Amino acid sequence: MLEQIKKSVVARYKRDDTKGIFLSTFDKKGELLNSQGVLHTDKKLGDVIEKLYKWFAEDNLKKIGLITVDIVTSLFEETNISKIPSTSVKQYGFYVIDANNKSGVILPNTKWIADAKNALFVLKQKYGISGKVKVFLFTTDRIIVTT
């Protein structure tokens, strides 16, 4: 499976690229098992893929029906708060961080996220984020690898 993931990624990107990447695993019914990754890194894409795979996917191969690989293609802080409510959750992922450095991330086009308000609510609840936050938006190129 690791070789299949690498082959799919290097068809679009160089192994030595330094891009953020998320690896999400789903069971055979399409339910999320795990999603881990980094928004930004100075590590090589091929190395990050291998580490994420070994840490979060390798032990669950029998349960996995498909893996999505999200390569981060853009990342920016949204400082105009009036734009956030109308941000497309299909196109953009959200990364928020509070004054205590608690942070959380939701990938673009996440199945159960209805809109930007819902995304921010889920992030705050799930990760215990409170108070004023910085909001970063990002886009990804999603690659789907089936078992």
Side-chain angles (χ1 to χ4, degrees):
M1 185 67 144
L2 176 58
E3 291 309 313
Q4 190 177 351
I5 293 167
K6 284 194 225 176
K7 185 177 179 181
S8 297
V9 171
V10 298
R12 297 187 198 180
Y13 299 93
K14 294 178 183 157
R15 183 172 163 51
D16 292 342
D17 283 349
T18 54
K19 295 186 172 290
I21 181 172
F22 288 86
L23 197 74
S24 302
T25 59
F26 297 84
D27 67 15
K28 294 176 183 2
K29 294 178 185 176
E31 297 298 317
L32 180 67
L33 296 171
N34 196 345
S35 184
Q36 298 292 330
V38 294
L39 274 172
H40 178 67
T41 183
D42 60 354
K43 307 289 185 223
K44 294 178 180 178
L45 193 55
D47 295 339
V48 177
I49 289 169
E50 286 185 29
K51 285 181 181 171
L52 288 172
Y53 179 83
K54 288 180 190 227
W55 289 344
F56 303 107
E58 193 170 58
D59 291 341
N60 293 319
L61 287 178
K62 290 180 182 174
K63 297 179 187 176
I64 295 172
L66 70 88
I67 293 178
T68 62
V69 181
D70 282 89
I71 307 293
V72 178
T73 54
S74 71
L75 171 66
F76 61 94
E77 183 177 1
E78 181 55 81
T79 56
N80 184 344
I81 60 169
S82 66
K83 287 184 175 182
I84 294 171
S86 62
T87 300
S88 168
V89 296
K90 299 282 185 208
Q91 183 178 359
Y92 291 99
F94 290 76
Y95 168 72
V96 297
I97 185 167
D98 69 14
N100 296 317
N101 285 325
K102 286 187 179 178
S103 64
V105 66
I106 290 181
L107 293 172
N109 203 21
T110 296
K111 184 165 76 171
W112 55 85
I113 301 299
D115 56 27
K117 184 178 177 182
N118 179 232
L120 295 174
F121 176 79
V122 168
L123 283 168
K124 286 183 172 188
Q125 292 291 85
K126 182 175 181 180
Y127 297 102
I129 299 167
S130 61
K132 290 185 98 175
V133 297
K134 287 185 179 182
V135 177
F136 294 83
L137 301 176
F138 63 97
T139 58
T140 66
D141 177 19
R142 184 164 288 165
I143 300 167
I144 298 172
V145 181
T146 56
T147 57

